[in-house]
Amino acid sequence: MNNSVTNTARLLGAGLRALLVLTLVTGVIYPLAVTGIAQALFRDKANGSEIKADGKVVGSSLIGQSYDLPLKKGQETPDPDLKWFQGRPANGLGANGINTRYKLILSGATNLAADSGDLLKQVEDAKAAVVKDNSVPGCTVNPSQVPADAVTSSGSGLDPAISPAYAGLQVHRVAAKNGLPVAQVEKLVEDHTDGRTLGFIGEPRVNVLELNTALKGLVAHK
């Protein structure tokens, strides 16, 4: 009887010690070590790849943002603010009534098939809008110039980047809306165009938030 009680007490004591050691190692030491290494070697990425302007965090380079005008009475979807470069459509997020257009509670695509009539209409409407919005005096956009990323949403609906072709298509409109020389805005796009990762992965891209942050600074000093 006494041996049984003693053995049970020993087992409980050993289990408690193991629990305390594992809690200390996996719940305190390991997280602190990983956090310390991340902060020392990958501080920017560990903190969310933040983008700052005027000393304030304005977003993350990993998540797209919308650049829209305030909703007008009776509107369900706001009009784009055409003084800014626009990102990809976010149709996947716009399909639900709670989290719409770049709200960060969830992400998702349209899940529409390539032969879907709804998808075809979305693309046609988006293309017509891109042509209309970006055709300014002295520069008329042809529908054949509109790249795919200008009229389709990404798999997450939160793609932070657009193609250099789509950024270039918006240059004349952005220049006109902000009273800037076209050449200056073209240089801005060129300076913010990233090539393929490691030279062969993915496609060249332009981060819209970084581009618009630089545009804001350019307008402020014109």
Side-chain angles (χ1 to χ4, degrees):
M1 184 75 173
N2 289 335
N3 288 338
S4 178
V5 172
T6 301
N7 290 335
T8 300
R10 287 175 178 171
L11 289 173
L12 289 174
L16 180 59
R17 287 193 297 273
L19 175 62
L20 292 174
V21 170
L22 288 173
T23 300
L24 180 63
V25 172
T26 62
V28 179
I29 297 175
Y30 177 74
L32 287 176
V34 171
T35 301
I37 292 171
Q39 288 297 320
L41 302 179
F42 312 102
R43 185 177 181 82
D44 177 61
K45 292 181 173 58
N47 291 332
S49 300
E50 297 172 339
I51 294 178
K52 295 183 178 180
D54 301 322
K56 298 179 180 179
V57 176
V58 295
S60 169
S61 63
L62 303 177
I63 299 175
Q65 294 188 16
S66 57
Y67 297 88
D68 297 327
L69 295 169
L71 275 172
K72 298 176 182 178
K73 187 176 181 180
Q75 274 188 326
E76 292 185 1
T77 302
D79 294 324
D81 189 343
L82 297 179
K83 70 180 181 181
W84 302 110
F85 285 92
Q86 297 293 313
R88 297 183 66 172
N91 296 324
L93 297 180
N96 65 79
I98 299 176
N99 305 296
T100 59
R101 298 192 64 79
Y102 293 106
K103 300 301 181 185
L104 305 183
I105 295 176
L106 58 80
S107 65
T110 62
N111 289 328
L112 295 173
D115 59 353
S116 166
D118 290 339
L119 179 60
L120 181 61
K121 186 177 187 311
Q122 286 180 7
V123 170
E124 289 176 342
D125 290 347
K127 179 176 285 191
V130 169
V131 170
K132 176 178 177 294
D133 290 343
N134 291 282
S135 292
V136 296
C139 178
T140 300
V141 175
N142 190 295
S144 63
Q145 295 176 273
V146 179
D149 62 305
V151 297
T152 56
S153 60
S154 64
S156 68
L158 297 171
D159 195 335
I162 55 177
S163 66
Y166 187 27
L169 184 141
Q170 300 182 61
V171 162
H172 284 80
R173 182 253 299 161
V174 170
K177 293 290 182 181
N178 290 284
L180 294 169
V182 169
Q184 198 171 21
V185 181
E186 286 178 335
K187 182 66 164 56
L188 198 68
V189 171
E190 180 182 342
D191 290 344
H192 288 82
T193 297
D194 296 320
R196 292 178 172 87
T197 303
L198 299 179
F200 67 94
I201 299 174
E203 296 294 331
R205 60 204 178 277
V206 183
N207 187 287
V208 181
L209 177 56
E210 292 178 354
L211 182 60
N212 279 333
T213 300
L215 173 64
K216 182 180 179 180
L218 192 63
V219 172
H221 293 91
K222 70 176 182 178

